[in-house]
Amino acid sequence: MPTPTLHTDRLLLEPYQPDDAEDFVTLFTDPEVGRFMGDGPLTAEEAGALFGRVFSKVYAADLFDVWAVRHDGRYVGHAEIKRTDQVAGHEIIYALAKPAWGGGLGTELARALVRYGFNTLDLPRVYATVADANHASLALLGKLGFAHERDIVEDDGSVTRVLAVDRPGLAS
């Protein structure tokens, strides 16, 4: 099933278009945004290659859902939900550009991803992995009912928290 378009009160999540490349690269190379993503901010070349793989691999093979996130018609972020072995289930991933921070858009975005996981993908549980130092995302996910499951100690000694939320009505 191709990545669908999702709507919230203030956000539009839609499949990326080729003309989103510049915004994608800007988001993924921003040091403040990227400090808690994977191995940190990407170089412009790495971000450009990743953007290309969204089309050549992810969308072409329908591997998982990945969205451009827009607010008032402007690109403000990135979102995904995908199965990963790290959590033995589906994980949500999201990032917002700095101008979109602090206004509740992150909560709205994460809530939409969780709702999609439960209602569309029929998942019993949704996961998130968050750097222990990313207090804003940990607090945001806590508001949505995510609970700490375990920690992963990374090669550099940093800690990644594995969080999960169960679909309402299911015993945990």
Side-chain angles (χ1 to χ4, degrees), residues 25-41:
V25 169
T26 298
L27 179 71
F28 278 79
T29 58
D30 183 300
E32 286 187 70
V33 174
R35 67 187 165 151
F36 296 126
M37 293 170 41
D39 294 325

Side-chain angles (χ1 to χ4, degrees), residues 87-159:
V87 297
H90 282 73
E91 175 183 12
I92 62 169
I93 298 165
Y94 57 89
L96 289 176
K98 285 185 294 188
W101 292 1
L105 294 179
T107 302
E108 193 169 321
L109 175 56
R111 184 176 285 120
L113 295 173
V114 170
R115 186 179 311 118
Y116 178 78
F118 291 152
N119 296 342
T120 302
L121 300 179
D122 198 30
L123 302 174
R125 172 175 278 189
V126 173
Y127 292 90
T129 56
V130 182
D132 187 46
N134 189 345
H135 303 293
S137 275
L138 290 170
L140 180 158
L141 293 167
K143 286 192 295 189
L144 297 182
F146 277 81
H148 177 257
E149 225 178 54
R150 64 185 167 91
D151 289 336
I152 299 168
V153 179
E154 305 293 349
D155 292 340
D156 66 0
S158 64
V159 174

Side-chain angles (χ1 to χ4, degrees), residues 12-33:
L12 172 66
L13 285 69
E14 61 184 359
Y16 276 99
Q17 300 300 316
D19 60 357
D20 291 321
E22 185 178 331
D23 289 328
F24 182 97
V25 169
T26 298
L27 179 71
F28 278 79
T29 58
D30 183 300
E32 286 187 70
V33 174

